[in-house]
Amino acid sequence: MKFSSLFLYLLTKNQRMENGKQVVDGNLEGIKKSLEGSLKRLKTDYIDLYYLHRVDPNVPIEDIAYLMKNCIKQVKIKHWGISEAGIETKPMQYVL
């Protein structure tokens, strides 16, 4: 099989660990810090897909949606997503 083009996408997630265990933390400043750290470690200007690993019930999803929209405007990320979100989580209504 011959490929005429190769596409490579860069994906990373926001996740914080404490004592070897994952911590659900949707703190906006923490998300910004995590994103900047990922950009630096990966030696890149932007990430194709940045996602939150867990939804923090203590942080309004619309706040996170607006933060991600701002990161897209700043060309730090191209797209974003959320893992393990419940059906009641509808972040796109705050961004569109």
Side-chain angles (χ1 to χ4, degrees):
M1 180 181 286
K2 184 177 178 182
F3 294 98
S4 60
S5 298
L6 175 65
F7 294 97
L8 181 65
Y9 296 96
L10 188 57
L11 300 91
T12 190
K13 64 184 174 183
N14 175 60
Q15 177 177 314
R16 191 171 63 115
M17 304 292 284
E18 283 184 9
N19 301 320
K21 294 186 180 189
Q22 182 176 324
V23 177
V24 176
D25 184 4
N27 173 287
L28 299 181
E29 289 304 314
I31 293 172
K32 289 180 198 176
K33 185 177 178 181
S34 177
L35 175 58
E36 291 299 328
S38 292
L39 292 168
K40 185 176 180 178
R41 283 188 305 280
L42 295 168
K43 298 178 183 173
T44 187
D45 295 329
Y46 69 90
I47 293 169
D48 292 301
L49 175 61
Y50 190 74
Y51 67 98
L52 302 172
H53 195 61
R54 302 274 193 286
V55 175
D56 186 340
N58 299 314
V59 178
I61 195 64
E62 57 268 26
D63 292 351
I64 293 172
Y66 282 117
L67 174 64
M68 295 294 101
K69 182 178 181 179
N70 191 36
C71 290
I72 291 169
K73 285 182 180 178
Q74 295 174 9
V75 195
K76 292 183 179 186
I77 63 173
K78 288 189 175 183
H79 307 279
W80 72 282
I82 302 172
S83 295
E84 299 186 16
I87 194 164
E88 69 283 351
T89 305
K90 299 176 184 172
M92 294 314 296
Q93 70 186 26
Y94 301 104
V95 182
L96 297 176

